[in-house]
Amino acid sequence: MNLTIQRLEHYQRDGLNFEVIDSGPLEGQAFVLLHGFPETNRSWQETSRILNAQGFRTFAINQRGYSLKAQPQARSAYRSSALVEDINALLEIIQQPVYLVGHDWGAVVAWELAQKYPQKIKHLITISVPHKAAFIRSMLSSNQLLKSYYMGLFQLPIIPELLFEKFPKIGEALLKNSGMTEQQLQDFRQDIVQEKRLSSALNWYRAIPFSSNKHLAQAIQVPTLFIWGKYDAAIGAKSVELNKQYVNAPYKEVIMNATHWIPVQNAKQLSKIILDTIH
């Protein structure tokens, strides 16, 4: 496939079919955009529009569990190594080093992808969630463990689905308290709950026990931009402080007056930071 003349609407790996929003100039340098929980590739619409206007081509993927034809049943199918290989399959199609951008869980995938395939990444841009080693270390020396209570809750069977589907006022209160707007909550109801993505999205949390930490402390070897919102309810300042210790390459850190939901709520500022950094 010659991507300079063809749009990519989906691609396959291991029997799964992944949905892609491919936009911008066909010959533009490639950005790969990885969403987090509980959002879809639509969370990148405004960022993509700005990057496209600057001559870049963007590939926003619905990741495993979010693409409706990529929802395996087993929890173990959502371990981080599988999530990384899903995106690597796209990089194999693109066949050029990319600007890799990840938010929330998408950032977790982006960090691990950069560890394993540094030669495929021109610049790593992670939003909200730092390197896993920095995150885990911060749990021992700050209030991060308390902030991460929901990660334990979401690993339970049935309970999270009940909260969001049967008692939505309770479930959605968690999202609202994290800074989500009413429009984002509406998108969540439509894209995640009504379109049957909730259980497979929660499997990212339920697969945590199946994910290996063998290369936990491995440093990143590609230029890295890390962006965090100072009002982030899920990620504390300590892990941000520790993050630079795990990047053995040019590193830039930007702290925004923002919540956790930077790609949707701060797309213009985010895009400007990215463009200023890579130019």
Side-chain angles (χ1 to χ4, degrees), residues 140-253:
L140 306 175
S141 57
S142 72
N143 65 344
Q144 184 59 61
L145 191 60
L146 188 62
K147 282 177 171 283
S148 301
Y149 76 94
Y150 66 92
M151 295 180 69
L153 173 66
F154 288 171
Q155 290 180 54
L156 297 173
I158 303 172
I159 301 295
E161 281 90 342
L162 285 176
L163 283 178
F164 288 117
E165 294 175 346
K166 304 299 183 186
F167 306 100
K169 285 189 176 179
I170 299 174
E172 289 181 14
L174 299 175
L175 301 178
K176 192 170 184 178
N177 290 341
S178 74
M180 266 197 174
T181 64
E182 182 54 40
Q183 181 59 55
Q184 285 178 283
L185 290 172
Q186 287 181 29
D187 290 344
F188 166 75
R189 292 178 204 121
Q190 175 62 41
D191 297 343
I192 304 300
V193 178
Q194 293 178 27
E195 295 188 10
K196 305 297 184 186
R197 292 181 169 99
L198 182 59
S199 289
S200 52
L202 287 164
N203 278 339
W204 285 52
Y205 292 93
R206 292 167 175 157
I208 288 173
F210 299 97
S211 295
S212 169
N213 287 322
K214 184 177 179 183
H215 302 291
L216 176 66
Q218 180 182 332
I220 300 301
Q221 304 292 336
V222 300
T224 299
L225 167 63
F226 177 65
I227 303 166
W228 177 70
K230 65 167 67 173
Y231 304 112
D232 195 313
I235 304 294
K238 185 63 177 181
S239 61
V240 177
E241 178 188 319
L242 295 169
N243 199 40
K244 57 183 174 289
Q245 297 180 20
Y246 299 96
V247 181
N248 187 21
Y251 177 75
K252 179 179 177 181
E253 176 184 295

Side-chain angles (χ1 to χ4, degrees), residues 74-91:
R75 286 185 303 147
S76 60
Y78 295 81
R79 62 196 181 278
S80 60
S81 58
L83 306 173
V84 165
E85 291 307 321
D86 291 343
I87 307 308
N88 182 49
L90 175 63
L91 302 189

Side-chain angles (χ1 to χ4, degrees), residues 53-72:
Q54 294 298 315
F56 294 97
R57 187 173 180 181
T58 54
F59 298 87
I61 305 108
N62 267 344
Q63 296 186 81
R64 180 176 293 229
Y66 294 84
S67 283
L68 297 178
K69 294 182 179 178
Q71 296 180 317

